[in-house]
Amino acid sequence: MITSAGLVLAATFAVLATLPLVMMVELGFLVAFGVLLDTFLVRSIVVPAIALLAGRRIWWPGRLARHPDGY
């Protein structure tokens, strides 16, 4: 769901790259590229890797960190 929403948002901003104004082409390309980078790299690889490295500490301020079984 997140990936498809990211693709739609990137395609929407990529339409700006078809305008005759140079500033809009640059803006459309950069925003579309940033959304695709966030969709495929950050949300698919970086966030799960950080969650794996953090282990139980990922839930630190919440009550889920204090599991009754102790693990």
Side-chain angles (χ1 to χ4, degrees):
M1 183 64 86
I2 298 290
T3 304
S4 60
L7 287 173
V8 170
L9 187 62
T12 302
F13 282 112
V15 170
L16 289 176
T18 63
L19 295 175
L21 300 170
V22 174
M23 188 178 106
M24 287 297 158
V25 171
E26 292 172 353
L27 181 69
F29 175 77
L30 287 176
V31 172
F33 180 74
V35 168
L36 288 175
L37 188 70
D38 177 64
T39 298
F40 288 113
L41 185 68
V42 174
R43 296 182 192 275
S44 299
I45 297 172
V46 175
V47 171
I50 290 173
L52 183 66
L53 290 173
R56 286 186 52 216
R57 291 173 293 191
I58 196 87
W59 304 106
W60 167 62
R63 290 185 358 208
L64 291 176
R66 295 182 292 276
H67 195 273
D69 293 337
Y71 62 86

